[in-house]
């Protein structure tokens, strides 16, 4: 049994293998490879793309999905070991997770960050679910990472810009009304590191990603030949970028994010930013995105935007990833 | 690609064709014609019949449906162009709609009226969804119309009363605890006009349907041979009706609906109304219906009620309509 | 058409037949026996196991399920006959239930108890749904019983302890933060009575199950050879138990349950209770369970616990039961 919940579960070779297969299956669909398979989809948090693309990936290949929303129509789940369960959560994941394993062939789980990056990076709930599951677990985003998003990002760059090795990509922080998890920036960084890109991460001071993730990215980069640099100057960071990946994220709990976002509202990604510098940058974002807060309408509605094909590629990488999940390896 | 969200998308010929096919398939089921097809079902509002009958229509013919409830388990969707999205809706339909088109083969959408008939008749949100969709859109009721209901209504009359041309049908307003959208009365009127019925619309003064709908109904009537008349006297309007279609709806925003409904509480449809006049009228209603407010128990529980077969026919007309949607024409 | 909503719908022979078939199909899966079948699943209350195991049972055998949650995404349903429906429930089950029967081949219904055992035992809503349904109804737990749980309990005992006739099983009340329905204890008692077990029911004074259920259990016992006794002393009741079934339930509405639960907090089921007496007792519970309230961690996490295979057996008995439902008999 093999869980795939973090980019390190795939490594450099695995990322490459999943992308190659996903690309090949865009040309020649693989048929009913999930026939007789049921994916249990467990949501602790809301979803549109992930929900629809995972379910479609199963159905298109002859399989099925059962969707369970912990906050609506199911029991709230306790996650703390040793808890005296006299509150509003009548069921423990120590029961719920192994029970589901008796009904389905794999579990896809979404459990977002709580808001403290130093804690979120430990990804306790996802690790606990992995530990208790009787069937393979695949991530639909957890506190630390959103690996399917990272894989879809790489597939999109490969299709629209060419081979990933040495590709100049910039991940830029952008303003938002509230501090968001670091899972998506983490996954973009880790995926691009595994894929050998030349990566620049740009953000205002105080919004550094967690050390655990940065050092894991450096290890992947060493193996793949990727290069990673950091800037606090958005314009400079975007000057040579073939791809500008816009994404907001929050920092430490003692950071006044509202004040920081106000101060750096100029980091909103606009069409003029995409067209500044030496190359016109393609625009990426994982969605959902707040228009005219994170990105301007003129950027998102321009021909430079890859957000629609990027979202569509979720289906394609997940189909490829689920194949590994159901086949216990590669 | 062909959207079917309004009766005018079908026209006189299309309504007839959809009904003929639906009727034929009640005798000889069409087999796995939706094999490999996924219908994305997007709900901005609640549903029982529509949800179950669309999903059953897909499953019975070998297809699948993915249900997305915007108010539960998904992101709330912004619909206004140019919005600065700093409120409680983190995703725009300009992203959500094209993204879903990468996962499914057609989109079924439910987006109810807001309560101002003069605005609702423009059906802005549905038109916006049509404009942004990469796949065919079919209506599960929008602000202006509920075409699948209108088609199911016609199929039911045809089965229970005979050929539609010249059939005497009366649409009667009925009391309610609050002003309801005009989508269902609009669709009954437009469908019956397309089908060539002899239509009477009865309501208290002040509850006129919108001019745009009335003139569209007259155009359809001209082509089909239908006749349309209007009355403010319920008894007179029902005297010759083979079918009495009961339905409440609201009027202009400056109308005191509660006062009007109190004043006209006598418009509640009862068994004695069905049996008054020259013919015993069959009773129809789209459901859900508030018993002993809109209709009396003795009307709804009588052998004159067609509400159950009428609801069942939703499945049959939708199967026929989806065939057109997936086959890009007729 | 045959509804299966209570153990008496099966009787001694039916319980045995369903269990035999379920056991056989664990060895040799029955294939696509539900091909072309749609199960409508109607939830008035939350669910995890029941939702997932029923849907999986349909999908694994080639069928499909449509899930309708009355409290989310559908209309709230009125259940009282003769109601003037001017409140917050716009649809009556007199319409909703027969309408659904036009779309699906059977209805699975979950409608929990309201909290007054003397009323709950009448199971009015479930009987009303049976009366109005056009297709077979199967219970996913109602006010009076949870028959699929009872059947899964028996299958688990048979697999882990041997033949059911004469098997020593103890149903023990346990503390809880609030009074729970008696449906699960009722179903365990009725199923074990139908299966011929030697049953002890243990609870503090004041928590007697309803007379209607006790006398039905005695009738089943007479036919099957089961024996039923009652104790107010937990230790004594567990001394010879091969199986200790822990479950909390509430009593009459004038009972101060909080005070009673506080007084009897020592009834929490622990590992030392399982190991006291003459035999080490296997532990069963229907889940969800509040850890360290109803059961201690050391009991639930011990090798004596059968709760996971017990939950997994839900799928197996339901597969067997649905076969009867769809085939109108045995």
């Amino acid at each position: 049994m093999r869980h795939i919940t973090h980019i390190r579960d795939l490594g450099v070779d695995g990322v490459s293998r999943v992308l190659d297969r996903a690309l090949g299956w865009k040309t020649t669909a693989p048929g009913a490879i999930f026939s007789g398979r049921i994916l249990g989809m467990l949501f602790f948090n809301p979803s549109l793309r992930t929900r629809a693309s995972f379910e479609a990936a199963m159905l298109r290949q002859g399989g099925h999905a059962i969707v369970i929303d912990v906050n609506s129509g199911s029991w709230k789940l306790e996650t703390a070991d040793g808890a005296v369960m006299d509150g509003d959560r009548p069921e423990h994941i120590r029961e719920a997770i192994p029970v589901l394993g008796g009904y389905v062939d794999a579990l896809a789980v979404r459990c977002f960050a709580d808001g403290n990056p130093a804690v979120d990076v430990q990804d306790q709930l996802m690790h606990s679910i992995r530990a208790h599951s009787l069937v393979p677990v695949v991530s639909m985003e957890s506190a630390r990472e959103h690996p399917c998003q990272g894989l879809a990002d790489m597939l999109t760059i490969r299709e629209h810009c060419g081979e990933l090795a040495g590709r100049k990509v910039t991940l830029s922080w952008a303003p938002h009304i509230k501090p968001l998890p670091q899972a998506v920036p983490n996954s973009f960084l880790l995926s691009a590191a595994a894929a050998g890109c030349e990566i620049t991460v740009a953000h205002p001071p105080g919004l550094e990603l967690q050390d655990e993730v940065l050092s894991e990215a450096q290890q992947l980069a060493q193996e793949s030949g990727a290069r990673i640099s950091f800037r606090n100057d958005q314009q400079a960071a975007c000057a040579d970028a073939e791809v500008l990946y816009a994404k907001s994220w929050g920092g430490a709990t003692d950071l006044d994010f509202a004040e920081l976002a106000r101060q750096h509202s100029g980091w909103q990604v606009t069409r003029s930013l995409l067209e500044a510098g030496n190359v016109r940058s393609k625009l990426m974002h994982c969605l959902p995105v707040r228009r005219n807060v994170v990105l301007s309408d003129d950027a998102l509605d321009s021909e430079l935007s890859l957000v629609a094909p990027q979202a569509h590629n979720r289906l394609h990488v997940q189909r490829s990833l689920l194949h590994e999940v159901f086949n216990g390896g590669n």
Side-chain angles (χ1 to χ4, degrees), chain A:
Chain A
M1 186 173 66
R2 178 160 167 249
H3 303 308
I4 306 182
T5 57
H6 298 85
I7 289 295
R8 67 171 165 272
D9 295 323
L10 292 169
V12 169
D13 288 352
V15 165
S16 164
R17 189 177 61 239
V18 168
L19 294 177
D20 284 345
R21 188 191 301 115
L23 202 58
W25 283 354
K26 288 189 85 161
T27 317
T28 312
I33 52 169
F34 300 151
S35 175
R37 304 286 196 177
I38 301 177
L39 179 68
M41 297 173 66
L42 187 62
F43 288 97
F44 289 80
N45 306 96
S47 172
L48 173 73
R49 267 156 299 283
T50 294
R51 159 73 200 282
S53 61
F54 262 101
E55 193 166 352
M58 291 302 299
L59 292 170
R60 292 231 177 271
Q61 281 17 93
H64 292 283
I66 293 178
V67 177
I68 294 164
D69 184 341
V70 170
N71 298 302
S72 148
S74 182
W75 309 103
K76 295 217 181 206
L77 296 179
E78 176 62 62
T79 57
D81 283 344
V84 176
M85 292 170 56
D86 53 7
D88 70 339
R89 303 178 168 196
E91 176 137 45
H92 202 285
I93 60 159
R94 295 178 74 102
E95 278 70 60
I97 298 301
V99 161
L100 288 173
Y103 308 145
V104 301
D105 301 296
L107 273 180
V109 177
R110 163 159 288 197
C111 51
F112 283 178
D114 275 337
N116 182 346
V119 172
D120 293 334
V121 76
Q122 303 306 325
D123 229 355
Q124 273 195 320
L125 178 51
M126 183 56 92
H127 284 294
S128 182
I129 289 170
R130 286 171 63 122
H132 293 302
S133 182
L134 307 176
V135 294
V137 176
V138 61
S139 171
M140 301 192 294
E141 186 174 343
S142 67
R144 179 191 178 111
E145 292 183 36
H146 191 353
C148 291
Q149 185 61 54
L151 292 166
D153 299 340
M154 291 308 115
L155 183 60
T156 307
I157 296 171
R158 184 152 152 188
E159 289 185 306
H160 291 266
C161 306
E163 285 301 322
L164 292 164
R167 194 63 50 199
K168 288 189 174 75
V169 299
T170 292
L171 167 64
S172 172
W173 180 87
H176 202 275
I177 61 164
K178 61 183 174 193
L180 293 183
Q182 298 182 348
V184 167
N186 287 347
S187 288
F188 179 79
L189 175 60
L190 293 167
S191 303
C197 296
E198 192 163 320
I199 308 158
T200 304
V201 181
H203 55 74
L207 289 168
E208 290 71 25
L209 298 174
Q210 296 297 298
D211 285 343
E212 291 89 332
V213 172
L214 298 182
S215 85
E216 193 176 311
Q218 293 294 3
Q219 287 165 29
L220 289 165
Q222 212 153 6
E223 197 181 333
S224 72
R227 288 193 299 173
I228 310 172
S229 61
F230 300 88
R231 309 288 297 251
N232 293 140
D233 175 342
Q234 190 187 40
Q235 286 280 351
C238 298
D240 294 320
E242 295 168 271
V243 166
L244 174 50
Y245 198 102
K247 182 74 187 81
S248 192
W249 66 85
T253 49
D254 58 357
L255 184 78
D256 183 346
F257 183 83
E259 172 55 26
L260 182 146
R262 207 162 22 244
Q263 208 178 314
H264 297 281
S265 61
W267 284 63
Q268 183 179 119
V269 173
T270 61
R271 173 151 194 162
S272 72
L273 179 68
L274 297 174
E275 297 190 328
N278 308 313
V279 293
R280 298 175 81 220
S281 310
K282 302 278 190 190
L283 173 67
M284 295 182 75
H285 188 282
C286 61
L287 305 180
V289 67
R290 290 174 176 270
R291 285 169 168 262
N292 303 312
V293 175
V294 174
L295 300 168
S296 65
D297 279 344
D298 73 351
L300 198 48
D301 296 332
S302 81
E303 75 287 2
L304 293 169
S305 169
L306 297 179
V307 300
Q310 181 185 359
H312 295 163
N313 274 333
R314 292 288 306 280
L315 174 81
H316 297 286
V317 296
Q318 288 160 196
R319 188 162 66 171
S320 176
L321 200 69
L322 285 166
H323 174 76
E324 306 223 347
V325 166
F326 287 124
N327 290 280
N330 40 49

